[in-house]
């Protein structure tokens, strides 16, 4: 009876394998839950109701208003500088109404009034020069040439983005790696159980022969 009970008990290596499998399963499920609540759901909401269009520049201008940004010059060195506000107004192929262009969703949330936030430098003059360079780029190099832009009629009907922060590749990876972790955990558990079952059957067949 003791031998039969021992045959059904997992060895130390099998026990570790089962624990690893259950740990991977739990990690995969928690990752899916965490990404879904904290990152994936807002990303899908941003993409919902949105699409791409052709944009054409209508006007490029600098406002008199200046905005603050934070620069870093070392581990314990931080300060505040200012930059001028650049606005790029465009017309989309979806609407005749002018829209304000932004770099991406992150820049739109940081400063919805401006189209560009320069890398924050310690010198205000350097920030102004970066903004002026971007202004010349949109006026002289882009001009009236159409380019692809992105919009969201539900969340921001008066704004368009030059690029998306949350593209299809990022969303795919959000699903892919937690699912792979979950499936690897399931595979380890199933293989461990199958190996144990085969070992028990082999032991039973061996006993019958003897």
């Amino acid at each position: 009876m003791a031998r039969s009970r021992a045959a059904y008990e997992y060895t130390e290596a099998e026990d570790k394998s089962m624990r690893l499998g259950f740990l991977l399963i739990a990690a995969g499920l928690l990752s899916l839950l965490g990404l879904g609540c904290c990152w994936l759901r807002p990303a899908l909401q941003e993409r919902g109701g949105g699409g791409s269009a052709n944009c054409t520049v209508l006007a490029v201008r600098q406002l008199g208003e200046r905005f603050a940004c934070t620069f870093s010059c070392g581990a314990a060195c931080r300060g505040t500088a200012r930059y001028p506000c650049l606005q790029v107004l465009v017309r989309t192929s979806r609407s005749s109404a002018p829209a304000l262009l932004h770099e991406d969703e992150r820049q739109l949330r940081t400063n919805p009034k401006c189209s560009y936030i320069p890398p924050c430098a310690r010198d205000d003059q350097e920030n102004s020069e970066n903004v002026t360079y971007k202004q010349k780029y949109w006026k002289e190099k882009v001009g009236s040439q159409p380019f692809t832009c992105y919009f969201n009629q539900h969340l921001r009907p008066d704004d368009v983005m030059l690029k998306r922060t949350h593209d299809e590749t990022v969303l795919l990876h959000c699903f892919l790696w937690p699912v792979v972790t979950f499936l690897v955990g399931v595979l380890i558990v199933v293989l461990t159980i199958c190996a144990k079952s085969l070992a028990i059957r082999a032991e039973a067949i061996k006993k019958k022969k003897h």
Side-chain angles (χ1 to χ4, degrees):
M1 186 72 178
R3 287 183 180 179
S4 177
R5 187 181 302 168
Y8 285 91
E9 291 179 354
Y10 288 102
T11 63
E12 184 179 354
E14 291 170 340
D15 187 56
K16 288 182 179 179
S17 180
M18 291 288 288
R19 288 182 182 180
L20 175 62
F22 285 123
L23 180 63
L24 291 175
I25 291 172
L29 290 174
L30 289 175
S31 298
L32 279 174
L33 183 62
L35 287 171
C37 294
C38 301
W39 197 91
L40 190 57
R41 185 178 177 185
L44 291 175
Q45 285 179 346
E46 286 181 358
R47 291 175 63 84
S52 62
N54 288 327
C55 283
T56 307
V57 175
L58 292 176
V60 183
R61 63 193 183 189
Q62 283 193 33
L63 301 182
E65 188 176 2
R66 286 177 171 261
F67 291 87
C69 63
T70 302
F71 64 86
S72 176
C73 49
C77 176
R78 297 176 69 86
T80 302
R82 305 187 75 82
Y83 64 92
C85 181
L86 175 67
Q87 287 190 338
V88 180
L89 299 176
V90 299
R91 179 187 290 117
T92 70
S93 57
R94 299 293 185 95
S95 174
S96 59
L100 183 61
L101 180 69
H102 300 273
E103 291 283 323
D104 51 30
E105 290 95 342
R106 190 177 292 111
Q107 183 268 314
L108 172 59
R109 289 193 296 267
T110 303
N111 190 341
K113 286 187 176 181
C114 305
S115 298
Y116 173 67
I117 300 177
C120 193
R122 191 169 188 170
D123 185 12
D124 291 356
Q125 181 62 30
E126 185 176 347
N127 292 327
S128 297
E129 289 175 358
N130 287 334
V131 173
T132 301
Y133 174 81
K134 184 64 72 170
Q135 182 178 7
K136 289 182 179 179
Y137 168 79
W138 283 107
K139 274 187 174 181
E140 299 174 4
K141 292 190 176 181
V142 178
S144 59
Q145 298 178 12
F147 59 93
T148 303
C149 60
Y150 302 93
F151 64 92
N152 192 314
Q153 294 292 346
H154 297 324
L155 297 180
R156 290 281 187 174
D158 298 326
D159 298 280
V160 293
M161 272 70 66
L162 186 61
K163 58 184 178 181
R164 281 176 171 160
T165 306
H166 310 295
D167 59 10
E168 288 81 359
T169 305
V170 176
L171 297 178
L172 174 63
H173 282 286
C174 277
F175 274 117
L176 179 62
W177 298 115
V179 170
V180 168
T181 302
F182 174 80
L183 292 178
V184 169
V186 171
L187 184 62
I188 290 174
V189 172
V190 170
L191 289 177
T192 303
I193 293 174
C194 290
K196 186 63 177 179
S197 177
L198 290 174
I200 292 172
R201 288 187 179 183
E203 185 69 21
I205 293 173
K206 186 177 179 181
K207 286 180 180 180
K208 285 182 179 180
K209 287 182 178 181
H210 290 286

